[in-house]
Amino acid sequence: MTGAKRKKKSVLWSKMHMPHCEDFKQWCRRRLPILEWATHYNLKENLLPDAVSGIMLAVQQVTQGLAFAVLSSVHPVFGLYGSLFPAIIYAIFGMGRHVATGTFALTSLISANAVERLVPLNSQNLTTQSNTSVLGLSDFEMQRIGVAAAVSFLGGVIQVAMFVLQLGSATFLLTEPVISAMTTGAATHVVTSQVKYLLGMKMPYISGPLGFFYIYAYVFENIKSVRLEALLLSLLSIVVLVLVKELNEQFKRKIKIVLPIDLVLIIAASFTCYCTNMENTYGLEVVGHIPKGIPPPRAPPMNILSAVITEAFGVALVGYVASLALAQGSAKKFKYSVDDNQEFLAHGLSNVIPSFFFCIPSAAAMGRTAVLYSTGAKTQVACLISCIFILIVIYAIGPLLYWLPMCVLASIIVVGLKGMLIQFRDLKKYWNVDKIDWGIWVSTYIFTICFAANVGLLFGVVCTIAIVIGRFPRAKTLSIKNMKEMEFKVKTEMDDETLQQVKIISINNPLVFLNVKKFHTDLMNIIQKENASNQPLDEISKCEQNTLLNSLSNGICNEEATQPCLNQKCSLILDCSGLTFSDYSGVSMLVEVYMDCKNKSVDVSLVHCTASLIKAMKYWGNLDSEKPIFFESVSAAISNIHLNKNLSKLSDHSEI
């Protein structure tokens, strides 16, 4: 008996500890999303739009790579490397199908702080001017890219550590107003950093608290040193870029391929500068020599990691937040899912591995995602195709960009930030939906421009949590009396046939950014739930003991339809009497629930809504104006459902 028991225990132990082949395959698919979509890739349907998108994306990757490398205070060629390697890594590990990782304005600006602090421009005369064996660049340039690569490496390590700690689940703290305000403030910083190039001025590097204001103070003090030629060329470039991009957006449905105005402007400006010798005649600053090829990999300088830890945390947080917002937006638009924690791993590796190839910190950019949207990209194949064209630029076309004026490059940066800068328009939306969110947006933006993007992000998160903690104690839940009254109305005013088509759900707590995801998930589960047998009406009261949501979003199912709504139209009644307040995220989620249910042929009615909630929902979403969706009571909503059912029956009889 003892031997048999031992044998049984050993078998159980081996089953517990021996990894199964299927488990390993699932793990690989979960951690390497490319294995999931590449095996189902449809060449006939997807290759052509992905190829067109890849070509257009390559144009933007090259221009932004050059521009953001300069923004990061390193040689422009390193921006080309930063547009190549991160895109390949993210295509393997990332889940966003319309996310193009590469150089990014906000992470470049943060990286520039470390570069200018550790290798300032005045140290160029102290270093030896002899060229190194790496691409023939000077020791000064190699020291600068070494600092930027160290920031990228440590920032990526921090992101991978956050993946290991499963901190992706904490991203619900990053509300839309906070992200919008932070990115808008950071974009304002980037525009400010380009003022010296737009005006053709020589200006020392200015950073730190209130550096934003010190830059403009320096500009006004030295306004006489502005080069008129650079200013006119900058204005002309900005006007052309904005005008053509607006026309592309206006007629994108009529034309299959939009005009790559960034590329056209670079070619035209470089050719004009070469023919007129603007560098020597007018003193315009140009990009300069761009070497060919990719150097062999080299580890970032590990001895300076402790000196760049502040910038590394900024790169890790700001880059991830901006990228995740784009990934979630594309997933929502094209109906697929994104794992927040997997994105930590994807972006972490997209920073760690490229740092060995002289790359600056990377992240996803709004402009590149917009290009993938507009050109009809289907998968990450578009990004991989763009990498082929970037390689062609690195090995063949790069040296031809010597004569590109810096003011034109700065103009491309400024116009490329248009998507972030127009987020100022969100202020009206937040004011009409939730004035507290409006206040959070304004305060986060002020902190961002006064200090830095990571400081503004931290302030916004802390401020949001503090406000929610202050508001939750005022939350009220539904009483048992109201529940019984609701059951009575359901029993008396509806027949059994109609009753089986109705789901009545009570929301017992506020809807805010902390619980909107859980609310949506549980609500969709209730709608899709199917039972084999009918549930008697007397058992409805048992639902009083079941919570739909967690303690932060406690909803109670009053009567849940148990028959699957396969061939008949279902109805959903949301009782909002316990919803004492909601923020911007809660209102947008209610509108999203309404639209999702409408697409699934489920009629939604909202009862006991406050006037502010009704106003906010009507302002936020294009709700169905033909049918009333807001009612004063559950009985009124049920009567409306009963009336609509009778009308549909009459119409069916008339057709017969």
Side-chain angles (χ1 to χ4, degrees), residues 221-387:
E221 287 175 2
N222 299 271
I223 197 72
K224 293 181 180 180
S225 62
V226 172
R227 291 189 179 274
L228 186 60
E229 298 83 4
L231 177 60
L232 293 176
L233 188 55
S234 299
L235 291 174
L236 179 62
S237 301
I238 291 173
V239 169
V240 171
L241 286 168
V242 171
L243 183 62
V244 175
K245 288 190 175 186
E246 285 296 325
L247 291 175
N248 283 339
E249 186 68 22
Q250 199 75 19
F251 298 102
K252 64 181 180 181
R253 295 183 179 180
K254 298 181 180 179
I255 53 177
K256 294 183 178 180
I257 301 177
V258 297
L259 178 65
I261 185 58
D262 293 354
L263 178 63
V264 173
L265 182 63
I266 286 176
I267 295 173
S270 301
F271 182 75
T272 304
C273 185
Y274 171 76
C275 293
T276 59
N277 196 17
M278 287 185 180
E279 182 184 13
N280 297 320
T281 306
Y282 302 109
L284 286 182
E285 187 178 356
V286 296
V287 169
H289 174 63
I290 296 180
K292 289 183 182 180
I294 299 175
R298 179 190 294 180
M302 301 297 173
N303 59 325
I304 64 171
L305 293 183
S306 60
V308 300
I309 190 168
T310 304
E311 287 80 10
F313 265 104
V315 164
L317 294 176
V318 174
Y320 173 76
V321 168
S323 302
L324 181 65
L326 293 174
Q328 290 178 337
S330 64
K332 186 177 179 180
K333 184 180 179 70
F334 295 99
K335 308 298 182 185
Y336 62 89
S337 61
V338 169
D339 183 356
D340 297 350
N341 210 53
Q342 178 66 21
E343 290 298 290
F344 261 131
L345 177 64
H347 289 290
L349 295 178
S350 296
N351 276 312
V352 171
I353 298 175
S355 67
F356 289 82
F357 294 89
F358 306 96
C359 293
I360 60 178
S362 65
M366 187 181 293
R368 295 194 292 266
T369 300
V371 167
L372 293 177
Y373 283 173
S374 61
T375 53
K378 302 296 183 182
T379 64
Q380 279 289 329
V381 170
C383 297
L384 295 176
I385 291 174
S386 73
C387 292

Side-chain angles (χ1 to χ4, degrees), residues 91 97 100 110 148 211 317 334 350 389 445 464 528 554 569 635:
R97 300 174 193 171
I110 295 172
L317 294 176
F334 295 99
S350 296
F389 290 93
Y445 176 80
T464 304
Q528 296 171 0
N554 190 16
K569 197 167 186 178
S635 58

